[in-house]
Amino acid sequence: MFDLERWQEIFETLSKNKLRTFLTGLSVASGIFILVILLGFSEGIANGVKSQFEQDAANKISVWTGVTTKGYKGLNPGRYIQLKNSSFDAIENEYDDYFEYRTKDYMIWGGTVTYNNESGNYRVRGTMPDNQFIENADMGSGRFISQSDINESKKVAVIGNKIKTDLFKGEDPINQNIQVFGMNFKVVGVFYDPGGDREEGQVYIPLTTAQKVFNAGENIRNMAFTVKMTDDFDEAVAMSNAIALGIEQKVKEIHTVAPDDVSAVRVNNTLEQAQKIYSLIATIRAVFWFVGIGTIIAGIVGVGNIMLIIVKERTKEIGIRKALGALPMSIVGMILQEAVFVTMFSGLFGLIFGLGLLELVGPLIESDFIKYPQVDFNIALTTVFLLVFAGALAGFIPAYRAAMIKPIDALRDE
């Protein structure tokens, strides 16, 4: 049952030690505040990194080539390694059972795209249907490249939302004709991409069409695959690493490249990168917890110290209470209630202030690697309750000492 008079008594007792109580409460409140802010920003970092991986599939293996830096089997260095359809087919045939999606691209970096009197330079990519899922392209309207478009080398195009905004000025682009280097392509879809304007400033056309209209023959610029995931993340990473290494060796074998030539064939495994980043985030979060809890412990020690001081200053009062028949447990309860009052009030103040600051400042943070810093309210509230429990433990030693004071010794205390 709530005893108003008892809590008024506690408040009056603590008021007599205003400066000590204020400093102790400030220490406890700052500990919770710092912990909330640190946890919020650790979550913001995690959200930011996850948003970067959302730009493409997290289990993506990309393959592209460069110039050889070493001679091999009688061939001189300085050769450009040109990927071809047959390179893609060889990889697909060997690892098809492990792939979820696969694509090959032929790219023109600065393609002139025109609609009526509007024009601009955008990346033009001949690609495959699976590229929609590898690039996480979300279709806002229409459709993506289909297998029928590939088989028939159709002159159709899927444009990014940025191109729609730049060229169509609010007009619906579906079934309209755009000119790519003066050649007509019918727009069949508009896509959005988590990567923003950089990714949405692209035109996708069927790969076979790109190879024909740009006289590429069998040439391709790069290849990309996504590996089938398993429930065990570490197992999936290990399998992805093995496949990535196998693909690199296969491409080097096909194009007669030295096994240790790191410039000629490059393979990027995003799943391995994700594992490293998530491990780093877990480390950062652990460090933040360590710093926050260390600050809270300092506050708890302060609570224990102020309770010792209060017990010392109230020795005569405690002696009188015991002389009048107060039981040791009632003395312990009296001191513990004061310790709980300090930690609970200060902890809730720090919690509310920290959550409020995150709500206020979080939406204003504009960074690719920190997004929506926030704290799970249940975790924060649980931390406060644990703080109150710790505060009660910190007050127990002074409370026990108070309960053991003999009335005659207490009354003699100066």
Side-chain angles (χ1 to χ4, degrees), residues 61 146 160 262 297-298 334 354 401:
I61 296 177
S146 70
V262 296
I297 290 174
M334 177 182 69
R401 290 181 60 180

Side-chain angles (χ1 to χ4, degrees), residues 2 9 53 60 86 146 155 187 204 221 312 319 330-331 350 398:
F2 182 76
E9 181 184 344
F53 280 107
K60 176 182 176 183
S86 57
S146 70
K155 286 189 177 181
V187 177
Y204 289 121
R221 298 288 190 196
K312 179 66 177 175
S330 67
I331 302 298

Side-chain angles (χ1 to χ4, degrees), residues 19 95 123 134 155 178 235 243 246-247 265 297 323 365 379:
L19 181 59
Y95 295 101
R123 197 185 337 171
I134 294 175
K155 286 189 177 181
I178 59 173
E235 180 183 328
I243 293 173
I247 290 174
V265 178
I297 290 174
I365 297 176
I379 292 177

Side-chain angles (χ1 to χ4, degrees), residues 91 94-95 240-252:
I91 300 299
E94 185 157 343
Y95 295 101
S240 184
N241 285 337
I243 293 173
L245 180 60
I247 290 174
E248 180 180 354
Q249 293 172 344
K250 186 69 175 179
V251 173
K252 286 181 176 179

Side-chain angles (χ1 to χ4, degrees), residues 2-215:
F2 182 76
D3 189 341
L4 180 60
E5 292 183 359
R6 176 61 192 137
W7 284 105
Q8 287 177 338
E9 181 184 344
I10 291 172
F11 185 75
E12 289 171 2
T13 301
L14 293 173
S15 296
K16 294 176 183 177
N17 298 271
K18 289 180 181 178
L19 181 59
R20 297 192 191 101
T21 304
F22 173 77
L23 293 176
T24 301
L26 183 63
S27 178
V28 174
S30 64
I32 285 291
F33 172 77
I34 291 171
L35 179 60
V36 167
I37 295 299
L38 290 177
L39 291 181
F41 272 88
S42 70
E43 188 65 25
I45 293 171
N47 291 337
V49 170
K50 287 176 183 177
S51 71
Q52 293 298 309
F53 280 107
E54 285 173 359
Q55 294 180 16
D56 295 318
N59 53 338
K60 176 182 176 183
I61 296 177
S62 305
V63 184
W64 67 98
T65 55
V67 176
T68 58
T69 58
K70 298 182 179 182
Y72 186 62
K73 291 187 177 180
L75 298 175
N76 293 326
R79 293 179 297 125
Y80 175 73
I81 302 303
Q82 177 62 65
L83 293 173
K84 295 184 176 293
N85 289 335
S86 57
S87 309
F88 177 84
D89 294 340
I91 300 299
E92 187 178 34
N93 290 337
E94 185 157 343
Y95 295 101
D96 188 59
D97 291 341
Y98 299 97
F99 293 149
E100 183 179 15
Y101 301 112
R102 69 278 288 159
T103 189
K104 49 187 174 179
D105 289 0
Y106 186 84
M107 238 177 289
I108 302 294
W109 287 96
T112 302
V113 181
T114 305
Y115 175 71
N116 289 340
N117 296 322
E118 303 291 339
S119 66
N121 288 325
Y122 305 99
R123 197 185 337 171
V124 180
R125 290 179 63 177
T127 192
M128 305 285 286
D130 280 0
N131 195 61
Q132 176 187 355
F133 309 105
I134 294 175
E135 296 287 343
N136 282 339
D138 180 24
M139 297 308 299
S141 59
R143 63 174 179 84
F144 199 72
I145 302 298
S146 70
Q147 190 59 46
S148 174
D149 298 330
I150 299 291
N151 295 340
E152 300 176 28
S153 302
K154 293 180 181 178
K155 286 189 177 181
V156 295
V158 179
I159 63 173
N161 186 61
K162 174 177 169 53
I163 300 176
K164 173 187 173 181
T165 303
D166 292 348
L167 303 186
F168 287 87
K169 309 298 182 183
E171 184 180 348
D172 184 5
I174 302 299
N175 293 324
Q176 300 295 329
N177 286 327
I178 59 173
Q179 288 75 47
V180 179
F181 289 117
M183 295 174 284
N184 284 330
F185 284 80
K186 183 165 74 172
V187 177
V188 295
V190 178
F191 71 90
Y192 296 86
D193 193 283
D197 286 353
R198 177 176 172 274
E199 297 299 325
E200 291 178 357
Q202 298 186 87
V203 177
Y204 289 121
I205 64 177
L207 173 65
T208 50
T209 305
Q211 289 174 324
K212 287 180 179 179
V213 300
F214 298 127
N215 297 316

